[in-house]
Amino acid sequence: GAGVSQSPSNKVTEKGKDVELRCDPISGHTALYWYRQRLGQGLEFLIYFQGNSAPDKSGLPSDRFSAERTGESVSTLTIQRTQQEDSAVYLCASSKSSGRYNEQFFGPGTRLTVL
Amino acid sequence: KQEVTQIPAALSVPEGENLVLNCSFTDSAIYNLQWFRQDPGKGLTSLLLIQSSQREQTSGRLNASLDKSSGRSTLYIAASQPGDSATYLCGNMLTFGGGTRLMVKP
């Protein structure tokens, strides 16, 4: 079966524009996670979904960032009025559930460059 | 709040050497810990998942241990190969370490 997929793989945008990043989790995985990874750094948690609900949005860095998930499947991370500091790789992961013992599987990421 | 630290940040070893990567966490109420490999420009590949009720997991040349009381996990790589060169991260779903960048020289 297919793994986690993300699109686009690369996105270059101008400062001030809005961008949408998409994540398709593994079929049947009810939990979905978004992370940001700046160059040479570790993963920064942004938000996670259990089903279509987001119990923990604590990692979203500002109100310019939002995410939604529909049909317990695809998720979209939207960044409004992008800034240069938003440049990073955005990684998505899924797991069977958000229960404590579930293994995470990651997508290849979307590399966002804000000029 | 859980914090995860990985030491060393970078490691260079000759091919064939056995090595240990370290991961420490601050909250012992950890339910599982997962080790990943990340190649340049790629996502994370799961290597091993250790549940809190387990003390270690093995997969091929890799062995990961978990000691909740001391807040530590280690990833042991036996007989390292140049293909093992990558960044290794440990994490607990919402919190990840900064990674150890491993270089195995032929």
Side-chain angles (χ1 to χ4, degrees), chain B residues 4-9 21-24 35 88-91 96-100:
Chain B
V4 179
T5 305
Q6 292 187 248
I7 296 174
L21 306 181
N22 296 294
C23 173
S24 61
W35 282 91
Y88 291 81
L89 294 99
C90 64
F96 289 77
T100 293

Side-chain angles (χ1 to χ4, degrees), chain A residues 22-100:
Chain A
R22 176 186 169 111
C23 173
D24 284 85
I26 292 172
S27 178
H29 280 196
T30 63
L32 185 149
Y33 312 79
W34 283 101
Y35 303 89
R36 178 170 70 179
Q37 187 176 34
R38 291 196 165 111
L39 187 63
Q41 299 188 18
L43 270 66
E44 176 186 3
F45 167 75
L46 297 178
I47 186 172
Y48 92 91
F49 290 89
Q50 176 56 49
N52 294 331
S53 301
D56 191 340
K57 305 180 182 179
S58 62
L60 293 177
S62 76
D63 59 7
R64 295 187 296 105
F65 288 72
S66 63
E68 65 175 15
R69 189 179 185 196
T70 57
E72 295 197 354
S73 181
V74 172
S75 177
T76 302
L77 177 68
T78 301
I79 308 174
Q80 295 179 310
R81 304 181 303 282
T82 52
Q83 304 293 313
Q84 289 183 332
E85 64 261 27
D86 299 334
S87 296
V89 174
Y90 290 81
L91 291 163
C92 173
S94 71
S95 61
K96 285 186 179 179
S97 79
S98 60
R100 299 164 180 174

Side-chain angles (χ1 to χ4, degrees), chain B residues 10-85:
Chain B
L11 182 63
S12 180
V13 300
E15 182 177 4
E17 192 162 300
N18 301 326
L19 59 101
V20 174
L21 306 181
N22 296 294
C23 173
S24 61
F25 45 91
T26 55
D27 186 353
S28 62
I30 192 168
Y31 297 108
N32 65 38
L33 191 126
Q34 200 166 349
W35 282 91
F36 298 88
R37 168 187 175 134
Q38 186 174 33
D39 293 285
K42 306 289 186 181
L44 277 66
T45 299
S46 177
L47 297 174
L48 290 164
L49 170 71
I50 313 177
Q51 298 178 4
S52 61
S53 58
Q54 300 171 321
R55 292 191 65 85
E56 65 179 72
Q57 281 282 357
T58 298
S59 176
R61 293 183 294 107
L62 305 180
N63 176 276
S65 67
L66 177 64
D67 184 343
K68 290 178 60 179
S69 62
S70 66
R72 293 183 60 188
S73 176
T74 60
L75 179 66
Y76 175 83
I77 303 177
S80 57
Q81 302 171 358
D84 295 331
S85 298

